[in-house]
Amino acid sequence: MIHLHFTATDLTRVRFAVSPVTETVASLRTLVGGRQGRQLHRPWIDRFAERAGRLGKHDLDLLRALVRPEGYIPDFLMPPPERRSSTFADGIGQIAGADPEIVVQELAHLAAHRVAQQGPGREGRRALLQALVERPDAGIGPVTEALEAYHRVAIAPDWPRIDALLNDDIAYRLDALADGGVDRMMSNLHPSVTFADQTLRIVKYYEGHADCGGRGLLLLPCVFAWPDVLVRTTQPGSTSVSYSPRGLGRLWEDQHPEQTGSALAGVLGQTRAALLAQLDLPMSTSQAATQMALSAPTLSVHLQALRAAGLLASRRAGRQVLYSRTELGDRLLSGAGRQPDA
């Protein structure tokens, strides 16, 4: 059990963020056999398998040596984002700016970690880690290059839907905060997380205590954290907790592909029928445009038409406007999927 102790100041500094780098690093655990998360993410794993040939074997071996199925993940690989919305390039920049001396210490800790080093291939992994330690930059250069190559193949193609789900979870948590304060917001983060007496408790295989020390808490929804909760207490920066977002089961669901050739497409047009099917998750214009492979101005016209028909709703989230299906849109899709009576 990890016990994270809060002060009154920490409670005023609880914030949320989305981290593409954390998502990328956590996804490496899902690729390793024996985790419960593999079944949940099976559609993603299958798609990655089709694209894995674009990655160099050394890059994947290096990343698998750094991110093990269980146990310690070096903290420098998951830097806390400075803003609610950051890019993968922002995170890679933070990794590239890590102190080599600290990175060496973390790699040494990983090489000796009892849980992380379970399983065959230990000596090969240690050789890879030692080769990093012996470099003047502690291996930061090859690590960032391997992460960039892996992200392009494994995460970037699916990022619009992942990002939409993460931000939908944040919106839900902030609504809970507005309705019932920090207690309600923390009440259902994850089955292994509880909050009481200004202490956040996370079930783990070891016992540990950490004071947030006025630095606050950073909460990071992360689809590939499932079924675990990832905790980072290293200073400087806020303590961070990465948890799986609500609605994770629908992330890889088949988004009504039949609608593009259905009677509904004959009424709405193929593009609008496909767009309506895609917006089970709230998305911005740019997210949906990437997902649909259309320009943002073109997609905006379709979004406005569907909203005017009452099939989509919109709400503002920071600088973005998010669109999602209404109940009428859900009913229309469900009805279009049924066969007419003979």
Side-chain angles (χ1 to χ4, degrees):
M1 179 85 73
I2 296 178
H3 306 256
L4 300 180
H5 303 288
F6 289 75
T7 65
T9 300
D10 290 311
L11 293 175
T12 69
R13 295 177 178 172
V14 175
R15 66 185 182 95
F16 287 88
V18 169
S19 172
V21 159
T22 294
E23 204 69 71
T24 299
V25 170
S27 73
L28 286 158
R29 281 195 156 176
T30 303
L31 290 177
V32 181
R35 291 191 81 234
Q36 293 173 282
R38 285 182 64 84
Q39 192 57 41
L40 178 65
H41 294 300
R42 175 57 60 185
W44 172 80
I45 292 172
D46 292 342
R47 288 203 294 274
F48 172 75
E50 296 172 0
R51 303 187 292 251
R54 304 176 202 170
L55 276 174
K57 182 179 183 301
H58 179 76
D59 285 343
L60 205 50
D61 287 346
L62 175 60
L63 294 176
R64 284 173 168 163
L66 287 166
V67 183
R68 302 297 302 138
E70 296 181 90
Y72 177 68
I73 298 176
D75 291 309
F76 81 95
L77 291 176
M78 297 193 296
E82 297 173 354
R83 303 182 303 278
R84 171 173 168 174
S85 296
S86 62
T87 65
F88 179 75
D90 292 333
I92 284 292
Q94 289 179 275
I95 294 175
D99 184 339
E101 291 187 7
I102 294 177
V103 172
V104 165
Q105 294 171 13
E106 293 180 1
L107 293 177
H109 182 61
L110 173 64
H113 198 278
R114 175 181 57 84
V115 176
Q117 295 305 327
Q118 293 180 119
R122 178 184 303 179
E123 293 308 315
R125 292 192 299 273
R126 285 180 171 171
L128 284 170
L129 296 176
Q130 184 60 36
L132 296 179
V133 167
E134 291 174 354
R135 289 174 55 98
D137 67 348
I140 292 173
V143 169
T144 55
E145 290 173 5
L147 280 172
E148 287 175 322
Y150 172 75
H151 176 82
R152 283 194 300 270
V153 172
I155 302 300
D158 295 304
W159 181 250
R161 278 192 66 78
I162 294 172
D163 190 34
L165 183 67
L166 301 180
N167 279 287
D168 190 43
D169 180 84
I170 290 175
Y172 171 82
R173 306 292 173 190
L174 293 179
D175 284 346
L177 177 65
D179 287 342
V182 173
D183 284 345
R184 180 172 296 183
M185 184 188 69
M186 299 282 204
S187 65
N188 63 348
L189 275 180
H190 189 276
S192 65
V193 175
T194 57
F195 181 71
D197 302 323
Q198 295 193 192
T199 300
L200 194 69
R201 296 175 176 86
I202 303 113
V203 175
K204 288 286 184 181
Y205 60 88
Y206 61 93
E207 189 75 13
H209 292 260
D211 292 320
C212 293
R215 294 174 290 128
L217 175 70
L218 174 61
L219 293 169
L220 295 161
C222 175
V223 303
F224 290 108
W226 176 262
D228 201 1
V229 175
L230 307 178
V231 182
R232 183 184 188 276
T233 58
T234 304
Q235 299 186 33
S238 303
T239 296
S240 67
V241 172
S242 300
Y243 63 94
S244 50
R246 295 172 67 256
L248 183 54
R250 61 183 166 144
L251 178 61
W252 310 121
E253 285 180 353
D254 199 355
Q255 299 304 307
H256 302 276
E258 73 281 359
Q259 301 306 338
T260 58
S262 68
L264 181 61
V267 176
L268 296 179
Q270 288 192 358
T271 298
R272 289 179 185 176
L275 178 59
L276 185 65
Q278 194 64 234
L279 288 174
D280 60 318
L281 294 173
M283 292 190 185
S284 67
T285 300
S286 60
Q287 287 172 329
T290 301
Q291 193 78 358
M292 298 287 295
L294 295 170
S295 69
T298 297
L299 194 82
S300 182
V301 172
H302 296 304
L303 288 171
Q304 297 307 320
L306 292 172
R307 190 179 71 160
L311 302 178
L312 296 181
S314 63
R315 63 176 175 82
R316 181 165 290 280
R319 298 179 180 178
Q320 295 182 322
V321 176
L322 303 180
Y323 296 86
S324 59
R325 278 201 311 262
T326 61
E327 184 180 350
L328 176 60
D330 287 338
R331 293 204 307 269
L332 185 63
L333 273 182
S334 298
R338 291 196 295 267
Q339 294 295 322
D341 295 334

